[in-house]
Amino acid sequence: MDTVEILLVAGGLVVLVGGGELLVRGASGLTARLGLSPLVIGLTVVAFATSAPEFAVTLDAALRGEPDLAVGNVVGSNMVNVLLILGASAVMLPLTVGARLVRLDLPILVGVSGLLLALAADGAVTAGDGALLLAVIVGYTALALVLGRRQAGAGPSGTAAGQGARRPLWAQFAAVVGGVGLLVFGARMLVEGAVGIATGFGVSSLVIGLTVVAVGTSLPELATTLIAARRGERDLAVGNIVGSCVFNICVVLGLAGVIAADGVPVAPAAVALDIPLMIASAVALLPIAFTGLAIARWEGALFLALYVAYTAYVLLAATEHDALEGFTTVMLWFTLPLVALTLVVLASFEAGRRRGGGHPIVPR
């Protein structure tokens, strides 16, 4: 590793964030003209736009022969989205969750996460697998738009996207084009630097993709979600995360599988651990969102703690640290069962309250 590689990673992250921000503003302004609700804007346009860094990095890595970085970026980004970004946003301001998200969009996220595990079980996301994932996102997007039209009501005029719609049309198109250009350029910088650093430290590309690159390419989601939560657009905040995770799996990995010559190889470690953990984080979001249709501050703190624990495990395993065995034992036999028990008790308690006609739990 040398200074050039560090500068490439740092510069790539900066360019990616700038490109993502520019793309979000342009795409949100264009879509607001269609009269869609904040939730649908979050699930589709904003989610797809903020996932553009993952899209650019993953495709570039797959085409350059770095499949571990491609898979690690998608799986790691989804973990970052759910555990880190939603956790941090809920700690800052409890997030209300619409009934539609709990009944439709979150189950779809869990379903496509499980589908990825099934497709990757043979060691690769092939062209056929990629085509199937792309078909899923087409159907999901069409469904979201149809339902969004029905639920639009007063429309998104009060949102940031609605404000963007008042800007000149040419400026919005220019923002979209400029954002995409910056994302592609930043992706190449980031991949080159990350691979160089991984080689220099003897750390696998999968680990780099699961940590540094995943967090870096998720910065647009982080900024969008935090800003939306502070402005009171909580549907937009949560919808952005859920939509981004679905997009990452179906479009980013799906298109990479179709374009790459022999598909995208998936490391056994990702199939055995990282993808199942990604599924678990999506499943964990269901009972948390179900309790009072909200993500409370303490639940956000729980998600943050789980992300820190996951990152610590990845780094300990990568360096073969002596503390790995003890850390794994504590996580498997104490921490994770306790978290699972807590989620089950919460969901059961809330279900009992609803059957008894009680009020939902108020987020704190």
Side-chain angles (χ1 to χ4, degrees), residues 27 92 187 221 244 249:
M92 183 186 73
E221 285 96 334
S244 291
I249 294 172

Side-chain angles (χ1 to χ4, degrees), residues 93-121:
L93 185 69
L95 300 172
T96 53
V97 181
R100 175 196 148 168
L101 269 170
V102 176
R103 295 170 183 168
L104 177 65
D105 301 296
L106 287 178
I108 286 176
L109 172 58
V110 173
V112 297
S113 300
L115 176 61
L116 175 60
L117 180 62
L119 295 177

Side-chain angles (χ1 to χ4, degrees), residues 10-252:
L13 290 175
V14 171
V15 175
L16 280 170
V17 172
E21 173 67 20
L22 195 59
L23 181 57
V24 166
R25 292 188 179 187
S28 298
L30 290 174
T31 302
R33 292 181 179 272
L34 301 176
L36 298 173
S37 67
L39 174 60
V40 174
I41 289 177
L43 285 168
T44 55
V45 175
V46 176
F48 294 178
T50 54
S51 290
E54 289 93 333
F55 181 76
V57 168
T58 299
L59 282 184
D60 191 73
L63 293 174
R64 291 162 61 88
E66 291 289 340
D68 282 351
L69 185 58
V71 175
N73 179 41
V74 168
V75 175
S77 291
N78 279 15
M79 298 278 286
V80 169
N81 285 344
V82 174
L83 299 181
L84 177 60
I85 296 178
L86 272 186
S89 300
V91 167
M92 183 186 73
L93 185 69
L95 300 172
T96 53
V97 181
R100 175 196 148 168
L101 269 170
V102 176
R103 295 170 183 168
L104 177 65
D105 301 296
L106 287 178
I108 286 176
L109 172 58
V110 173
V112 297
S113 300
L115 176 61
L116 175 60
L117 180 62
L119 295 177
D122 61 357
V125 176
T126 64
D129 298 337
L132 175 60
L133 291 172
L134 291 173
V136 169
I137 196 64
V138 170
Y140 173 65
T141 303
L143 179 62
L145 292 175
V146 170
L147 294 178
R149 280 293 191 176
R150 296 176 182 174
Q151 300 169 348
S157 59
T159 67
Q163 297 168 6
R166 293 194 288 267
R167 289 193 285 268
L169 190 60
W170 68 265
Q172 294 167 354
F173 276 114
V176 170
V177 174
V180 171
L182 288 174
L183 288 168
V184 172
F185 181 65
R188 294 194 65 86
M189 293 174 62
L190 186 60
V191 170
E192 289 183 13
V195 172
I197 291 174
T199 303
F201 278 104
V203 178
S204 70
S205 296
L206 177 62
V207 172
I208 294 295
L210 287 166
T211 54
V212 178
V213 178
V215 172
T217 56
S218 293
L219 287 176
E221 285 96 334
L222 176 61
T224 302
T225 301
L226 289 175
I227 292 170
R230 291 192 63 181
R231 294 181 178 178
E233 296 288 353
R234 304 185 192 186
D235 267 353
L236 179 63
V238 181
N240 171 42
I241 294 303
V242 174
S244 291
C245 289
V246 174
F247 184 89
N248 285 344
I249 294 172
C250 293
V251 177
V252 176

Side-chain angles (χ1 to χ4, degrees), residues 285-306:
L285 189 56
L286 278 169
I288 284 181
F290 176 71
T291 53
L293 294 178
I295 304 174
R297 282 193 172 92
W298 74 266
E299 292 169 330
L302 174 63
F303 269 23
L304 285 176
L306 289 174

